Amino acid sequence: MTEQYKKGSIIAKYLEHLDVHPITIAVAVSNENYRKSYQIIQENPNISKIEFLEKMQLIEERD
């Protein structure tokens, strides 16, 4: 299992729990972003959806 897959799975589960849009989750676990996403979640495991999106400088997708 690769580092990206392992960390990406953790990130995706965490963000799904926060009800983040699936496309936004895909961006958070992308090659460019997964390390930063993982670090943010590890540093603050109780981070809110809004705080996470702000730290990642992401705008959540809408249907």
Side-chain angles (χ1 to χ4, degrees):
M1 188 178 305
T2 67
E3 172 197 19
Q4 183 175 359
Y5 180 81
K6 191 185 305 184
K7 289 181 177 180
S9 294
I10 292 168
I11 297 163
K13 287 177 187 173
Y14 187 86
L15 296 179
E16 285 171 4
H17 174 72
L18 293 179
D19 198 32
V20 174
H21 192 280
I23 293 174
T24 307
I25 293 173
V27 173
V29 300
S30 68
N31 289 343
E32 300 82 26
N33 293 324
Y34 81 92
R35 286 186 180 99
K36 183 177 179 184
S37 296
Y38 185 80
Q39 180 181 359
I40 289 169
I41 291 169
Q42 292 302 305
E43 289 174 356
N44 185 359
N46 297 314
I47 196 165
S48 72
K49 175 180 176 177
I50 292 170
E51 289 174 315
F52 178 82
L53 295 174
E54 286 175 356
K55 285 186 180 257
M56 287 298 297
Q57 299 178 341
L58 296 175
I59 297 172
E60 186 166 24
E61 294 292 326
R62 300 178 193 262
D63 288 329

